Amino acid sequence: MNVVKGKREHAQTQRAEAVSPAALGRRGLLGGLAALPVLYSIGSATSAAAAAAPQPGSIPKTAGDLLRGAERRYHAPLLVAGTRLVLPGGVKAVSVQDYYRRPRLASAPSVWPRMTGADGSTVDASIVPERGAPTRTAVISGFTEGWYELIHANGRTDRVTWDAGKLSFLALHGEFGAMDEALYRDRLYTLALQPFSSNPYTRTTPTL
């Protein structure tokens, strides 16, 4: 997994991980599990070539494991309303409904950047909203190339790449201050993004 940044600031990163589907908690995008070898490198966004891709076999091939790429979280004050998330064309997003109580996939995907927010409204998920907007949680699929770019209001661009042949799903979790869960109420303003080898959620199993 390659991370290319436009300025000196470095958003928080976590090491790549592999877990069984049963072990993935419903707050998986906001937490971490056992570390595996890091799959990314850091370089300049203005350089002519990105950092080298992971070598074959760098991701463990344990049968039945759900493989996780490195999670990256973006927070205020760097993350502000109007920050843009750019993904490859043709990908689709399926929302995760009732994420904190009975998480399950919505019945149908939508073409990115459209997705359904926690309040049922259709939103443009490529644009980070103002503080107080509903939670956005989705799994994005259809990658032929694994990459995203986060374009910040200050001009910085973070480009993250990974091997879409091994990690073909991207989980998105945005908290923008509207969550009413205890301890986090009105406090979180964050966007978390993490590649997976398969969809960590189902439409019928509420036990994640």
Side-chain angles (χ1 to χ4, degrees), residues 27 100-101 179-187:
R27 301 172 193 260
Y100 286 100
R101 295 177 178 81
M179 183 173 66
D180 60 1
E181 294 291 314
L183 302 179
Y184 299 107
R185 188 174 293 113
D186 301 325
R187 297 178 60 188

Side-chain angles (χ1 to χ4, degrees), residues 27-102:
R27 301 172 193 260
L29 285 177
L30 298 179
L33 298 173
L36 291 174
V38 176
L39 304 180
Y40 57 84
S41 59
I42 298 175
S44 170
T46 59
S47 63
Q55 295 299 313
S58 62
I59 299 177
K61 296 181 179 179
T62 304
D65 274 354
L66 174 65
L67 302 180
R68 296 162 49 123
E71 179 196 71
R72 291 179 60 77
R73 307 180 209 173
Y74 300 87
H75 304 280
L78 179 61
L79 187 73
V80 298
T83 300
R84 293 179 56 224
L85 174 62
V86 181
L87 298 177
V91 297
K92 295 183 177 181
V94 58
S95 299
V96 179
Q97 300 176 335
D98 200 10
Y99 178 71
Y100 286 100
R101 295 177 178 81
R102 192 175 182 271

